[in-house]
Amino acid sequence: MQKEKRHSPMVKAVIQQLQQDVANHLTKLIEERPTEARLKEAMLYAVQSGGKRIRPLLTLAVGSAGTSTNKAALDLACALEMIHTYSLIHDDLPGMDDDDMRRGRPTVHKAFDEATAILAGDALLTLAFEVAANANLEARQLVEAVKILSSASGMSGMISGQMKDIASEEVTITLERMKEIHREKTGELLLAAVRLGNLFVDDAKMKEAFVSYATHFGLAFQIQNDLQDVCWTSEQTGKETGKDSELSKNTYPSLLGVEGAKEALSTEIAFCKNALDGVDFTLENEQTKALLIEFLTYLEI
């Protein structure tokens, strides 16, 4: 697969600063609220485990193309990251994927215990909506933000995709059915990230382009995740690899082969670029395009 052209150190510096902003704000949002000490410790352990923070970065990058104030967009970005983190905590539980490692560290139920992990996930999910509801936004934006978060994470979004994924184990499904599962399980939160950013954007064509970008990014993200499970080591991923095969999961490599999956990944990345090419970015929002293009380098195998 052809490597993406890297952007300037300035773009990378912007990304690093945004990642730090997200990390600091997540910690602040949790630390400033009263709760039982062990629960707070587990929540902080989960949100401080690192990662690229691609979902909140998407929200902040897209929002910067419009009228976002850093604090309001940051609140929404962190609310989304809390939902994502809660989903990872619950995915790792013995009743789900039963994983011992996440991002090179023991999973929350291993570092603490299963009951604490469940409660920490529940607390992050509910705190996400509290944070979003308290964001400094117009009433219409607040309502839309809550709708975006609840729809993407709920029974018609991420949870539905997770349930369909479990039901598809050890049975043969079509490629289209697998795409449907992944659009809900993985793609909905990535799409929500862009839709939250779009709350600050007025240009209809630009908003449509960002949604198209996010749709293809979500599929590419899942294809890459599937490829990592067969192409990368546990040291590279920070978690146990080869589990998809053990669980007889339907993945892009299992349906298309490794080379076919890599080709599908390249196709989705190309669609992401095409979506952005259809927009006339001004000097004021050129950085948004540079950030979105740079994010595509995260999809490399």
Side-chain angles (χ1 to χ4, degrees):
M1 182 179 300
Q2 184 178 2
K3 296 288 186 181
E4 289 294 322
K5 181 181 178 181
R6 293 296 200 270
H7 280 85
S8 70
M10 185 173 67
V11 173
K12 292 185 178 180
V14 171
I15 290 174
Q16 290 173 353
Q17 184 59 58
L18 292 176
Q19 289 171 329
Q20 191 60 55
D21 290 345
V22 169
N24 291 342
H25 200 51
L26 282 168
T27 297
K28 177 178 179 290
L29 288 168
I30 294 170
E31 285 187 337
E32 68 185 9
R33 283 166 169 79
T35 190
E36 195 275 333
R38 185 171 173 82
L39 175 62
K40 181 175 288 190
E41 183 184 357
M43 294 169 71
L44 289 170
Y45 178 87
V47 301
Q48 293 173 347
S49 64
K52 295 183 178 68
R53 311 286 192 189
I54 189 61
R55 291 157 191 82
L57 289 187
L58 281 170
T59 297
L60 295 172
V62 170
S64 69
T67 59
S68 75
T69 63
N70 188 50
K71 177 63 166 62
L74 191 57
D75 280 340
L76 295 185
C78 287
L80 183 60
E81 184 70 356
M82 287 177 185
I83 291 174
H84 172 57
T85 305
Y86 123 78
S87 75
L88 297 183
I89 295 173
H90 283 197
D91 279 353
D92 290 337
L93 289 168
M96 297 288 281
D97 291 344
D98 194 16
D99 282 321
D100 295 341
M101 299 295 292
R102 167 75 65 177
R103 295 170 178 164
R105 303 200 307 173
T107 49
V108 177
H109 71 275
K110 286 293 182 180
F112 295 84
D113 55 72
E114 191 172 343
T116 301
I118 293 171
L119 292 174
D122 292 345
L124 285 169
L125 174 61
T126 49
L127 178 57
F129 286 95
E130 179 185 338
V131 170
N134 284 319
N136 185 22
L137 298 167
E138 297 177 11
R140 62 172 183 82
Q141 291 175 311
L142 280 175
V143 171
E144 189 62 26
V146 171
K147 286 170 62 178
I148 290 168
L149 290 170
S150 56
S151 176
S153 62
M155 59 182 287
S156 299
M158 179 181 65
I159 293 176
S160 173
Q162 184 68 55
M163 192 72 238
K164 289 176 182 177
D165 189 42
I166 293 171
S168 71
E169 293 176 8
E170 300 184 0
V171 298
T172 301
I173 63 173
T174 65
L175 180 60
E176 283 307 310
R177 176 62 171 174
M178 189 173 68
K179 285 183 178 180
E180 177 189 333
I181 292 170
H182 290 161
R183 271 192 293 266
E184 293 179 353
K185 179 185 173 185
T186 303
E188 281 293 332
L189 284 193
L190 289 163
L191 189 55
V194 164
R195 284 179 168 152
L196 290 172
N198 268 348
L199 293 176
F200 305 96
V201 178
D202 293 326
D203 187 305
K205 187 175 182 180
M206 186 176 289
K207 292 170 74 168
E208 183 179 343
F210 290 152
V211 167
S212 177
Y213 170 95
T215 300
H216 293 291
F217 191 100
L219 283 175
F221 193 91
Q222 183 61 53
I223 297 170
Q224 185 214 39
N225 186 269
D226 288 353
L227 282 166
Q228 286 177 350
D229 194 63
V230 296
C231 296
W232 286 15
T233 65
S234 297
E235 288 72 25
Q236 287 175 292
T237 62
K239 61 181 180 179
E240 184 180 351
T241 55
K243 294 201 71 174
D244 289 345
S245 178
E246 290 179 14
L247 296 171
S248 299
K249 284 191 174 184
N250 289 279
T251 65
Y252 281 87
S254 71
L255 267 66
L256 301 176
V258 171
E259 292 307 313
K262 287 182 177 179
E263 183 178 345
L265 176 57
S266 294
T267 298
E268 295 302 330
I269 291 173
F271 280 135
C272 290
K273 293 178 183 175
N274 290 340
L276 299 179
D277 287 341
V279 177
D280 293 325
F281 287 90
T282 65
L283 285 175
E284 288 76 16
N285 53 40
E286 185 66 29
Q287 180 175 278
T288 293
K289 182 178 182 180
L291 290 171
L292 294 177
I293 291 295
E294 184 69 17
F295 295 157
L296 297 178
T297 66
Y298 295 169
L299 302 173
E300 293 174 353
I301 285 290

